[in-house]
Structure formats: C-alpha cells, structure tokens
Amino acid sequence: MPTSSPPGRRARVLSPGTSRPSSEAREELRRRLLELIEGNRVMIFSKSYCPHSARVKELFSSLGVDYNILELDQVDDGANVQEMLSEITNQKTVPNIFVNKVHMGGCDRTFQAHQSGLLQKILQEESAYEYDLIVIGGGSGGLSCAKEAAILGRKVMVLDFVVPSPRGTSWGLGGTCVNVGCIPKKLMHQAALLGQALRDSRKFGWEYSQQVKHNWETMTEAIQNHIGSLNWGYRLSLRERGVTYVNSYGEFVEHHTVKATNRKGQETYYTSANFVIATGERPRYLGIPGDKEFCITSDDLFSLPYCPGKTLVVGASYVALECAGFLAGLGLDVTVMVRSILLRGFDQEVAEKVGSYMQQHGVKFLRKFVPVMVQQLEKGSPGKLKVTAKSTEGPETIEGVYNTVLLAIGRDSCTRNIGLEKIGVRINEKNGKIPVNDVEQTNVPYVYAVGDVLEGKPELTPVAIQAGKLLARRLHGASSEKCDYFSIPTTVFTPLEYGCCGLSEEKATELYMKENLEVYHTLFWPLEWTVAGRDNNTCYAKIICNKLDQDRVIGFHVLGPNAGEITQGFAAAMKCGLTKQLLDETIGIHPTCGEVFTTLEITKSSGLAVTQQGC
Amino acid sequence: MAAYQEVCVCGFEEFNQAVEQHEGKRIFALFVGSKDAEGNSWCPLCTQAEPVIREGLKRASQECVFIYCQVGDKPYWRDPNNDFRKKLNVTSVPTLLKYGTPKKLVDAECRQANLVEMLFCED
C-alpha cells in the first residue's frame, strides 16, 4: 500500500520561506531526500499526473511490494526537489526510483530490471545492517521512539545504561523522569502536601491525639517500590513489542556501528540503519573541594536510605526549589543557597512569589552566595558537613553546618563520551547539547536525537515522548508530522505550585513591546484555605494578552494549589487560539481556583490593587 | 538451567508459611484458581498458562523455590476483601511473580513464553 503526503494538504519537504534555496537550505533538502531514500525499501519520486509514474506504481503493487511516494507536483518546492534529485542521480526526470537505496532509474530502466530479474534480486537483498533502529538511552524520549518504531514493524534495539552517581546510586530502565525526576519528585511533594493537609484537618474538625511525625524510610521504600514496578512495566512493554533491550553503555565506534559495554565490561557490537540519541543529562557538580565526595544530587536523594536531616540545597532551579520545598514540608530544617535569581527562564514576578512563600513557611534563603568548600565534620547516615560560602558581591564569607548538602545547579548532557566525534555528529561545545533541524535530525543524516540533549528545546518528559513517537512515525514512512514545540505548558511543584504556558512577562515584553500588551492579574484565596486559616492574598493569577492580535492570550501563569491540573486545560485552550474575550465568555466553575481566569478584570496598566475580598 | 524446589500450597495461610520457611531464598510464586476433584481449575487462563510457566521454570538461570499456590474457589476469589487482594496485592489469576520484587506477570502475560522467560531470568 503506498504512503504519500495526505490529500488536500500541500506538503513541503522544506519549511516555508525557502523558495530560492540558500546553500544551507540545499544541504537541508539533500539531507531530507537521502533520509527518504535510505528509510524506505522502495522510494518513488513522481508526479501524480505522469503516466510513467502510474505504470511504475502499478508494477510494485502487482509485486505486492510497499512503496513510499513523493508527488513533486503536490509539494510547494517540487522544482527544488527535482533539481536536487538530478544532482544526486544525474537523472532530470520523474519517476525517479530507488529500491533498497539503489538508484533504479526511471520507468523504462525499472521495467527492464524487472524483466531481467535484477529488480527482484535487489528487492530481496538483506539489509546491510542488523537493526533498523538503535536507540541509545532508555528514557522518556528513547522508549517512546523505540516502541513506536517496533509497532510500525521495524527491528529495534534500546541500549540503556546508568553510570552510577559519584555516591554510587544507580537505577533501572525508564530514564530520569521515572527514576530520579518527575515521578519520585511528585510523590515526595505529595507526601509534604499531606503533612500540610493534616495540619489543616484540625480546623475542619478532625481530632486525633497522636503526635504526627514523618518516617523518611517508609516513604522512600514505598516510592522506590512504585518505581520498581514502572521499571518492570517498561521491560515488559519492550519485550511485548519485540524491542531488544540491552543493559549496556552504548557508544559509536564508526559509521552505523555502536559498541555496547555491559556492567561486567563485556563488549558487543551492533549495526543499524538509523540511530536515535536519547541519552539525557546528569546533575552538574560545582567543581569545589568536597563536592563529589560529600554532596548528593537529585540522583541520590530519592533513594537515600536515611533521612537527610538538616539540608543545604545549592541552586535556584526548579529542581532545587522543589526539593527544598518538600524536604521542608516533611519537617526538615532547609536552607537554599542562591547565586542570583530564582527559576531562571521563568516569569520572575511569579518566581519571586514562589520563593517568598517558601520563606514564609520556614525555608531559609541565602541569596547571592556560592559554596567554595565542603568539609566532612562527622561520618554518618547522615553525617555532618561544614560548608564555606562566598558572597557574589563582596568579600564576605559564611560558614554553615548541615547533615546533607544537595547540589541542584543544573544538568549536563550525556554527549561527550558516546563517540559522537567518531562519526562527526556536531554538538554545542559549550553545553554539550545537540543541535537538530525541525525533524530532530543531526548533521549526520542517519543520526537523530530526542529529549533533554536537544539544543533549544524544553527539557520535559511529554516533549520527549511526543518528539520520539513522531520521529519514529516519520522515519518509517507512516507520517510527515513534526513535533510542535510552541507554547508548551509546565508546572513547578514547589510548596505553592506554579503552572504556566506560553511567555513570561519579560519575554513577552521583549518580543512585543510593553505598549502592545495587556496584562490581567489578580490575587486569590482558595476556598479550602479559608477555614484552614491559610494565607490570604498569596495565590496569584496572571495572563498576558497581545493587543495586536485580538488580545490573544500569549502567557498564562497560575500560582496556587493544583496548578498543574489547572494549567493543562488552559494550555489546550491556548492551542486553540484563546483570546481575552473567549476567556470572558467562558463561564467559571464555582467554587474553584481556576474560575478566577474567567473573571479577570484588573490590568497592570490600570495600576489598581489586586488584593482579594470575600467569596 | 538450574534446580528448583516446588512447594504446593492451598490458600493464604499456607502460602505465608511456605514463604517464611524459605526465607532468604529466591522465591517465585504462581497463583491459580483452585482445581476440583478432577484436577481442573475454574480459571481457564490459568490452565493455559501453567505449561508455559513450567517450561520457563526449567530454564531459570539460578536456583530458586517455586511456590504453586491454589488460591481457593471462584466465590472466594471474587470477594474483594480476600486476603490475597488485601494483603498481597494479588488481584487476578493467574499471577506469576518473583516474591519481594516488583516483577509480576498477570493474566494473558502468563502464557507468553518470552515474558515468562524474562521474569525467570536474572538481570
């Protein structure tokens, strides 16, 4: 059955705006065409009205052979494609046919090859490679891509290996999100929220005499058990789909070939037509004395076999604030050491409110300091560590003693030790990330990348999953859909949750100019917080509208309980082109926090106060 | 191919006793609907899965104990408060699991030889 661009929608091989191709665009086009030629058993470049093309299609159909077609009269840059094909094959006409990457020629030559038996011979030829696809990295992006490719009938391998952290921590299949990221983080955040709920419960009439304490080991064991079932679930789902999973460290040794080294040091080599790099990132260290020996990171925290005790969290990323947040919520003494701003890249007004809430609830902040040395005062589980830190603004030095120091200053891509230089895959030397085009292809045509390693793309699980799935579908002819990286929602699960979609106020101002924006905002008091006696005038809602485009909502920000759940719906609305008017026409659900977005009135430009009264 | 010791039990109490007796060893357990006087189980999927599992067991890579546990009759099993459901989180038969780990196969998974093999083999 032929696969081609869907009818009624003019496809492009290249992105729009490239009618006269630059040399970069030509390089792109060549890469794309080679991808089509290498990725399909039979590839026919044709024109829908051409009778010779029709004959060739009939021939393959009669042989019962699947083929992929690109109709050059149905793509906007068909002329460019035809020219590039002529460069590649020395043939100016269509149909231009490839079988198992071999250039057959046009209609006549293909029919001749059929008559002489040559065509059948080429059709039958075994692939030069053992696998159709090898995915390096079994995380959100890698597994999604591998599974989809297997569903489409390809021979797929996943190589996943966790290099133990400096503290010796390791984990099973599933990547960062499942093992040392989103999943355990949200569960520990929930543990902390339940602690808060217990405190609130007395105001709602619950009476109990037991002193409420938290047991770290009980929580961690339960969370690790759940993670274990997820690891197992992934192994099952790979096996069920016939994906070969190998628990080995993969690195390129030459074109189309990887070396896989297992825990025992045994090496095996595998070849594949295509590769996907999905190796993700690992926490960065400070590069100061004592950091690797005595400090832990998020890699270690979620399976720490003992309660961390009095903790210093270094960093101001969402990882730092989320961890500091739930540790404090579980009753621990927590300090956060911040070099400059909180939540870089996020809306700073909301970021400061996030920090402010944490501070009001007992988290100590040491702003504008960086650690310069960590020493061990006492061994133990936990032990005692002395941290010396320097001010970023002057000569001041401070010291503190903590049971645990958690470093959360950023993550580095795992791209430096996987042999990319051996096959010429370009990376950004500064941060190790891999630049790709809009179909996740690296500069080497048969090598792709998904997930956190990508340059300039949001480091989020759902993004990696979507990109991985669509990549597999495009590689194996089933679709031409690209991943849409625009307006991706996310939530920071700090004690007061922050959900957002679209632009921060700073970014919107930079792109559109303040006078073209209208910012609506309000503080709000969740109903459940009233009886519980919790903070009034703390939760916050803000939308940023583009006056030049019908007050289109281009930025959505909510600071309050269940921010993630609230934001998800509004993200879908924004994808549909939400405007302020549509928002106003939407009737709120009462009593909820989300409804506050349907009655936003006060603008920043009016200068009016936003403190809440009543209801 | 490794040696395995089979222990046959009926019901939750006997199962727990068997686990205690073999504490410290590698334990695999198969939970099936109980067999009647003629040796037929009320659970057809269990009947289909058993030969696949026994075949996989022969290929276990390391020594282990295999507990074959008949859970009880159908009405007992259907009771949402039965001990297997409440205390062991075994909510369907057949269930094949490696005791003390998250490794588990349920229902139709139990008759897929490749999945059964994966469960019996050590990482």
Side-chain angles (χ1 to χ4, degrees):
Chain A
M1 206 206 5
T3 46
S4 64
S5 2
R9 181 165 71 149
R10 270 180 93 77
R12 300 192 64 90
V13 181
L14 273 186
S15 325
T18 50
S19 52
R20 189 156 343 130
S22 60
S23 72
E24 231 176 45
R26 286 167 53 74
E27 201 33 61
E28 254 303 299
L29 179 56
R30 172 182 274 268
R31 226 195 289 177
R32 299 280 184 89
L33 294 184
L34 287 176
E35 181 187 26
L36 283 170
I37 294 165
E38 299 197 4
N40 291 285
R41 195 171 170 220
V42 176
M43 183 68 209
I44 305 175
F45 296 93
S46 126
K47 284 183 186 161
S48 59
Y49 52 79
C50 165
H52 300 292
S53 297
R55 280 183 67 211
V56 166
K57 291 173 204 171
E58 260 171 48
L59 171 62
F60 284 107
S61 294
S62 73
L63 293 173
V65 172
D66 280 354
Y67 54 90
N68 195 357
I69 325 171
L70 186 63
E71 303 285 8
L72 300 191
D73 57 322
Q74 286 175 0
V75 296
D76 283 346
D77 47 358
N80 291 330
V81 174
Q82 197 160 0
E83 199 191 298
M84 182 58 74
L85 279 174
S86 161
E87 248 187 58
I88 298 174
T89 63
N90 234 350
Q91 176 186 329
K92 291 192 175 55
T93 56
V94 293
N96 199 333
I97 299 129
F98 292 81
V99 174
N100 272 332
K101 298 179 257 229
V102 174
H103 178 234
M104 299 304 298
C107 176
D108 287 344
R109 276 178 54 188
T110 304
F111 271 88
Q112 277 165 22
H114 177 239
Q115 284 188 341
S116 69
L118 175 63
L119 176 62
Q120 284 80 333
K121 201 158 158 284
I122 297 179
L123 273 169
Q124 263 164 41
E125 232 150 55
E126 287 282 327
S127 172
Y129 309 113
E130 292 166 271
Y131 287 87
D132 295 315
L133 179 68
I134 290 183
V135 178
I136 308 179
S140 305
L143 290 181
S144 154
C145 187
K147 275 189 245 181
E148 192 68 16
I151 288 172
L152 294 169
R154 299 299 153 138
K155 192 166 176 220
V156 187
M157 167 181 281
V158 169
L159 289 171
D160 185 68
F161 189 85
V162 180
V163 174
S165 75
R167 298 289 295 232
T169 313
S170 183
W171 49 86
L173 181 63
T176 296
C177 172
V178 164
N179 293 287
V180 287
C182 332
I183 302 291
K185 173 268 295 281
K186 187 92 191 290
L187 290 171
M188 291 202 175
H189 171 65
Q190 175 67 359
L193 288 178
L194 288 171
Q196 174 71 61
L198 283 170
R199 285 190 283 282
D200 291 352
S201 73
R202 291 190 191 276
K203 296 273 174 62
F204 281 89
W206 287 99
E207 292 170 357
Y208 38 96
S209 50
Q210 252 178 311
Q211 174 71 323
V212 172
K213 308 186 309 244
H214 183 261
N215 183 319
W216 174 271
E217 288 83 354
T218 305
M219 173 184 73
T220 324
E221 195 186 316
I223 291 176
Q224 288 299 318
N225 280 341
H226 177 62
I227 291 174
S229 72
L230 293 176
N231 297 141
W232 173 248
Y234 280 123
R235 294 192 54 202
L236 265 190
S237 89
L238 287 185
R239 200 48 108 91
E240 274 173 331
R241 287 180 179 76
V243 175
T244 308
Y245 157 59
V246 177
N247 185 209
S248 293
Y249 186 93
E251 50 190 314
F252 286 96
V253 287
E254 56 182 47
H255 278 296
H256 291 279
T257 313
V258 284
K259 174 174 77 168
T261 311
N262 70 11
R263 231 174 322 178
K264 302 186 185 131
Q266 292 159 341
E267 294 171 359
T268 320
Y269 294 81
Y270 302 103
T271 61
S272 174
N274 290 310
F275 290 84
V276 175
I277 300 166
T279 48
E281 301 177 308
R282 295 297 289 271
R284 192 178 299 148
Y285 281 79
L286 284 164
I288 61 170
D291 66 353
K292 289 204 174 141
E293 300 91 303
F294 308 124
C295 301
I296 65 167
T297 69
S298 57
D299 279 358
D300 312 295
L301 179 66
F302 300 110
S303 56
L304 207 60
Y306 54 84
C307 181
K310 180 177 175 189
T311 304
L312 174 69
V313 177
V314 182
S317 55
Y318 72 82
V319 176
L321 296 186
E322 285 175 342
C323 290
F326 68 69
L327 289 174
L330 298 176
L332 303 180
D333 178 333
V334 178
T335 306
V336 181
M337 187 176 286
V338 176
R339 186 176 55 89
S340 65
I341 60 172
L342 300 178
L343 297 177
R344 186 176 299 275
F346 285 90
D347 187 288
Q348 283 301 291
E349 178 187 23
V350 186
E352 280 303 317
K353 286 178 189 285
V354 166
S356 184
Y357 181 89
M358 287 172 70
Q359 199 158 9
Q360 274 159 37
H361 289 259
V363 177
K364 299 181 271 251
F365 279 82
L366 292 170
R367 310 277 311 240
K368 305 215 167 99
F369 277 93
V370 287
V372 291
M373 178 163 59
V374 179
Q375 296 162 295
Q376 187 177 59
L377 295 179
E378 264 173 47
K379 278 200 193 170
S381 302
K384 262 210 196 127
L385 301 172
K386 182 164 95 168
V387 178
T388 310
K390 223 171 80 67
S391 164
T392 59
E393 300 193 305
E396 195 192 342
T397 307
I398 55 171
E399 282 178 359
V401 177
Y402 307 91
N403 293 124
T404 299
V405 176
L406 173 71
L407 300 180
I409 54 168
R411 293 172 67 78
D412 290 323
S413 295
C414 299
T415 51
R416 311 238 188 222
N417 293 312
I418 56 173
L420 293 182
E421 65 290 346
K422 300 220 172 80
I423 54 169
V425 172
R426 244 180 273 131
I427 63 171
N428 179 324
E429 283 304 327
K430 265 195 3 212
N431 57 22
K433 289 196 175 246
I434 305 181
V436 293
N437 60 18
D438 62 349
V439 288
E440 286 85 31
Q441 194 182 30
T442 68
N443 62 308
V444 176
Y446 67 92
V447 179
Y448 300 80
V450 288
D452 290 358
V453 285
L454 293 188
E455 171 112 271
K457 307 282 195 284
E459 294 172 24
L460 297 167
T461 285
V463 173
I465 292 177
Q466 178 79 330
K469 194 187 295 189
L470 295 181
L471 172 62
R473 287 194 194 153
R474 287 191 311 265
L475 275 180
H476 304 119
S479 139
S480 54
E481 195 189 337
K482 296 184 221 175
C483 189
D484 182 2
Y485 291 99
F486 182 69
S487 243
I488 291 171
T490 187
T491 296
V492 182
F493 293 99
T494 32
L496 192 57
E497 296 177 7
Y498 167 29
C500 59
C501 184
L503 302 171
S504 64
E505 204 173 327
E506 295 86 6
K507 197 75 194 175
T509 308
E510 188 193 324
L511 290 176
Y512 295 94
M513 304 303 158
K514 195 166 170 192
E515 57 269 21
N516 297 318
L517 298 174
E518 194 71 86
V519 179
Y520 295 86
H521 68 156
T522 186
L523 291 165
F524 62 93
W525 199 20
L527 180 62
E528 296 80 2
W529 287 24
T530 57
V531 168
R534 289 174 64 186
D535 328 38
N536 193 352
N537 292 308
T538 299
C539 296
Y540 184 63
K542 173 164 84 172
I543 59 168
I544 303 162
C545 300
N546 182 2
K547 291 202 280 204
L548 301 174
D549 181 23
Q550 300 167 68
D551 272 345
R552 187 87 44 200
V553 177
I554 57 173
F556 172 94
H557 303 267
V558 62
L559 180 66
N562 306 302
E565 306 294 353
I566 299 174
T567 307
Q568 185 69 87
F570 283 101
M574 283 171 73
K575 253 221 180 336
C576 297
L578 183 67
T579 59
K580 180 64 168 63
Q581 186 178 353
L582 283 169
L583 209 41
D584 292 343
E585 287 169 11
T586 307
I587 306 224
I589 302 171
H590 187 72
T592 65
C593 295
E595 64 172 309
V596 96
F597 286 96
T598 62
T599 54
L600 286 170
E601 263 176 24
I602 298 176
T603 61
K604 280 205 176 174
S605 52
S606 70
L608 294 170
V610 284
T611 38
Q612 269 294 308
Q613 271 104 31
C615 211
Chain B
M1 305 244 194
Y4 67 88
Q5 183 188 353
E6 180 159 346
V7 178
C8 290
V9 299
C10 291
F12 188 73
E13 284 305 318
E14 282 188 24
F15 175 77
N16 273 336
Q17 278 164 24
V19 166
E20 266 174 45
Q21 265 180 327
H22 296 277
E23 197 184 314
K25 297 189 200 155
R26 189 173 293 107
I27 299 174
F28 293 98
L30 173 63
F31 300 90
V32 296
S34 292
K35 297 181 169 170
D36 59 21
E38 279 98 52
N40 298 320
S41 169
W42 52 260
C43 163
L45 209 45
C46 299
T47 311
Q48 286 173 25
E50 207 172 310
V52 178
I53 290 168
R54 289 192 177 281
E55 193 54 45
L57 189 51
K58 285 188 209 153
R59 298 213 190 81
S61 48
Q62 269 149 310
E63 264 186 50
C64 62
V65 172
F66 177 66
I67 302 179
Y68 181 86
C69 178
Q70 296 187 58
V71 299
D73 59 23
K74 202 166 180 182
Y76 167 80
W77 186 249
R78 288 264 175 259
D79 174 11
N81 292 316
N82 76 53
D83 281 327
F84 288 99
R85 284 184 203 274
K86 298 247 98 175
K87 298 185 186 165
L88 207 49
N89 203 22
V90 172
T91 54
S92 101
V93 282
T95 289
L96 175 67
L97 54 78
K98 185 174 178 185
Y99 193 79
T101 76
K103 291 187 171 187
K104 192 198 273 207
L105 294 176
V106 296
D107 302 331
E109 292 170 351
C110 296
R111 59 168 190 219
Q112 289 187 58
N114 60 345
L115 301 185
V116 169
E117 185 195 325
M118 194 169 74
L119 189 137
F120 279 124
C121 286
E122 213 51 29
D123 279 328

